[in-house]
Amino acid sequence: MPKANYDIILRNGEVVDGTGAPRRRADVAVKGDRISVVAEPGGIGDAGGAREIDATGRVISPGFIDTHTHDDNAVLIGPDMIPKISQGVTTVIAGNCGVSLAPITLSGTEPPPPLNLLGGLEHFRFERVTDYVEAVTAAKPRTNIANLIGHSTLRLACMDDIGKKASAREIDAMRDRLAEGLDAGAIGFSTGLYYKTNAAADMDEVVALAELLADKGGVYVTHMRDEHDGILDSLQETFETANRAHVPVVISHHKCAGPNNWGRSRETLPVIDEARKRQTVGLDAYPYPAGSTVLEPDWVDEEIRILVTWSTPHPEKTGQDLADIAAEWGCSQRDAAVRLNPAGAIYFQMAEEDVRRILAYPPTMIGSDGLPHDSHPHPRLWGTFPRVLGHYCRDAGLFTLEEAVHKMTGLSAETFGLKDRGIVREGAFADLVVFDPDSIADRATFENPKQTAAGIDLVMVNGTEAWADGEPTPLRSGRFISRA
Ligand code: ZN
Ligand code: CU
């Protein structure tokens, strides 16, 4: 009688291991939260698994790492994490774009945009990152989460007037909070220099914070000051900042925004390549020609299509085009944006040509930048990973399946220092996805964004089956994870 040596054995799948190496047919055995054995088919012999799963014709890959999220609060108030787990994401990196839920306690006034992308006033209640980590652990989300500390959050917590550059005293206060966060397990520091809450910070202010990462470990991640006409200057600012702070840097959601700049990834990618010869530079991107964030009247130029994703005073306008709302109200689009605020929007600001060139660039990692609290969210929240694997890999042939998986697993784990994640090998955490490479596809659209993916059979998080046959299981086993 074979005895059950393992908790789960996945038999006869095609293992795409996350390193970029060619796929190979294998059996994978899981015990506890780790992968115990990866062997030739039949190589595990008749050592039984408590549960045996036939993965014939399916790919077994590492669980996807969503490198760019705003899931800080989602893991607490929506710990089932259905938009993410349903597309094979087993780890989210939160706190991007200078915006993190901790460390700050707000009282009195609502958080200014873009902090309000994470939720209202009552959700900002973590004075220390340690408190946030405790809350995550208690919430037991379905996916793992790792956190960056956001510069706008630090500025709001420590400064009298965030419209100015920080004083020496305010920088010290921010450094103390950032140090506490890194000691509590945060994996880096993010800026969103594009946003009003962060824009007054000059390079000296950013360096004074980012340089803490050189001692404590961690990555500097930046939503750059300008992704429009000034993109080349912003790239230089990014490289110089990271260089002065002696830290690795990740460029967030790289894009060339605005019709003026369409096609300019032909210029930006060679510049990034040059910098990569001198310093450690990574980047992430999502697979759509539209971005999404708060609706800021100053950004409304009547040149591109803008779609409203939420509005506090006018929730009935959610899902409508700003141009149509302005026509109905008999006002300019800018005035309509003022009336809709606070609000969020999707901006159709990129060229498909750039999206493809940036996705295909070998150093590019995949990050959804999904906004989990929007009532009519950008479809990237639910569709990013299957869209890369189905639409861009299988159908458009931008890269091999091995490369696509590497961009969403091994490369991401390596960049952010997530030990024993993002790889299928013996001893690694059993964060795994079993999917059908022929049918995997995103179903979320701009019109109908809250749709699960097709072709995802099974998702395991820390050795636990978290999503199976199109449904969440009763088991949640995500953890707060920090750097190796
Ligand atoms: Zn951003
Ligand atoms: Cu973002």
Side-chain angles (χ1 to χ4, degrees):
M1 279 294 279
K3 72 181 202 307
N5 294 327
Y6 306 106
D7 297 322
I8 298 170
I9 300 180
L10 303 166
R11 299 272 187 193
N12 210 30
E14 295 279 334
V15 171
V16 174
D17 70 5
T19 64
R23 71 190 80 182
R24 68 199 146 105
R25 176 139 331 145
D27 292 347
V28 177
V30 171
K31 188 170 178 128
D33 62 0
R34 303 266 180 170
I35 297 167
S36 306
V37 185
V38 181
E40 304 270 296
I44 299 175
D46 56 2
R51 191 158 137 63
E52 299 256 349
I53 295 168
D54 179 11
T56 306
R58 298 293 190 260
V59 167
I60 302 172
S61 82
F64 307 142
I65 297 171
D66 191 345
T67 56
H68 190 114
T69 86
H70 297 285
D71 287 337
D72 309 48
N73 193 22
V75 294
L76 302 180
I77 65 175
D80 274 324
M81 295 294 285
I82 302 301
K84 295 296 167 74
I85 200 80
S86 62
Q87 54 176 314
V89 170
T90 56
T91 297
V92 299
I93 297 178
N96 275 280
C97 298
V99 173
S100 56
L101 198 62
I104 192 171
T105 311
L106 287 180
S107 59
T109 48
E110 285 295 322
L115 270 84
N116 57 0
L117 293 175
L118 301 182
L121 179 62
E122 69 281 13
H123 297 289
F124 291 82
R125 56 191 168 88
F126 303 106
E127 191 60 15
R128 300 175 309 158
V129 174
T130 308
D131 306 325
Y132 175 72
V133 175
E134 272 171 27
V136 170
T137 305
K140 236 183 187 256
R142 195 173 289 278
T143 64
N144 300 308
I145 177 169
N147 267 76
L148 305 168
I149 306 299
H151 195 177
S152 285
T153 298
L154 295 175
R155 298 186 102 237
L156 203 64
C158 301
M159 292 179 64
D160 296 331
D161 179 359
I162 56 170
K164 293 191 182 145
K165 142 178 170 63
S167 68
R169 188 185 51 78
E170 289 167 336
I171 287 175
D172 282 344
M174 288 194 280
R175 282 176 61 101
D176 288 347
R177 277 186 195 245
L178 178 56
E180 185 276 328
L182 295 170
D183 290 340
I187 61 166
F189 166 65
S190 78
T191 56
L193 296 165
Y194 178 56
Y195 292 107
K196 285 178 179 169
T197 48
N198 207 160
D202 63 5
M203 193 186 293
D204 292 340
E205 182 181 324
V206 178
V207 169
L209 293 163
E211 68 186 13
L212 279 182
L213 302 168
D215 291 341
K216 296 186 178 287
V219 183
Y220 170 50
V221 181
T222 181
H223 176 162
M224 299 189 300
R225 207 175 283 281
D226 193 338
E227 296 174 309
H228 290 73
D229 300 2
I231 180 114
L232 292 180
D233 288 344
S234 281
L235 286 171
Q236 292 309 337
E237 178 185 7
T238 298
F239 304 144
E240 197 183 328
T241 302
N243 216 357
R244 281 180 54 193
H246 304 287
V247 292
V249 65
V250 170
I251 299 162
S252 292
H253 43 58
H254 182 45
K255 64 172 78 71
C256 299
N260 275 343
N261 302 302
W262 289 351
R264 292 189 69 198
S265 58
R266 242 184 264 109
E267 296 169 55
T268 60
L269 296 181
V271 166
I272 293 171
D273 245 7
E274 268 309 303
R276 283 170 54 83
K277 291 177 187 159
R278 304 185 302 266
Q279 62 192 107
T280 307
V281 180
L283 69 164
D284 62 71
Y286 46 80
Y288 298 86
S292 184
T293 182
V294 289
L295 175 58
E296 166 60 61
D298 287 350
W299 303 334
V300 174
D301 58 10
E302 311 234 346
E303 272 197 85
I304 55 162
R305 180 181 170 207
I306 296 175
L307 178 66
V308 176
T309 52
W310 59 276
S311 164
T312 302
H314 292 284
E316 77 283 3
K317 296 299 182 204
T318 293
Q320 294 186 26
D321 275 22
L322 185 63
D324 296 339
I325 299 167
E328 187 193 322
W329 287 349
C331 65
S332 70
Q333 288 190 35
R334 192 181 189 288
D335 288 346
V338 172
R339 283 173 63 183
L340 289 162
N341 251 279
I346 293 168
Y347 300 82
F348 291 82
Q349 59 185 358
M350 288 104 93
E352 177 68 21
E353 158 196 353
D354 290 318
V355 172
R356 289 182 180 223
R357 197 178 287 120
I358 291 166
L359 285 175
Y361 180 52
T364 303
M365 301 176 283
I366 307 303
S368 71
D369 203 6
L371 298 174
H373 312 297
D374 289 10
S375 28
H376 185 97
H378 187 305
R380 66 194 184 184
L381 177 66
W382 291 76
T384 288
F385 292 82
R387 185 168 176 79
V388 169
L389 294 169
H391 180 68
Y392 283 120
C393 176
R394 180 189 59 233
D395 300 342
L398 282 195
F399 24 58
T400 64
L401 183 64
E402 287 82 354
E403 288 166 326
V405 169
H406 180 56
K407 285 168 172 294
M408 45 184 77
T409 59
L411 179 60
S412 317
E414 197 182 300
T415 302
F416 288 95
L418 306 179
K419 187 169 182 260
D420 295 342
R421 307 271 176 193
I423 188 165
V424 179
R425 71 150 156 66
E426 293 173 4
F429 285 103
D431 291 347
L432 295 167
V433 188
V434 179
F435 65 91
D436 177 0
D438 297 327
S439 70
I440 191 165
D442 57 309
R443 286 187 289 217
T445 62
F446 287 101
E447 293 71 36
N448 204 351
K450 296 181 179 175
Q451 303 295 323
T452 59
I456 305 263
D457 292 353
L458 175 68
V459 186
M460 288 177 48
V461 177
N462 297 314
T464 300
E465 293 180 59
W467 178 268
D469 306 317
E471 299 285 344
T473 68
L475 306 168
R476 297 202 310 247
S477 59
R479 298 175 186 164
F480 183 91
I481 57 178
S482 44
R483 288 174 58 80

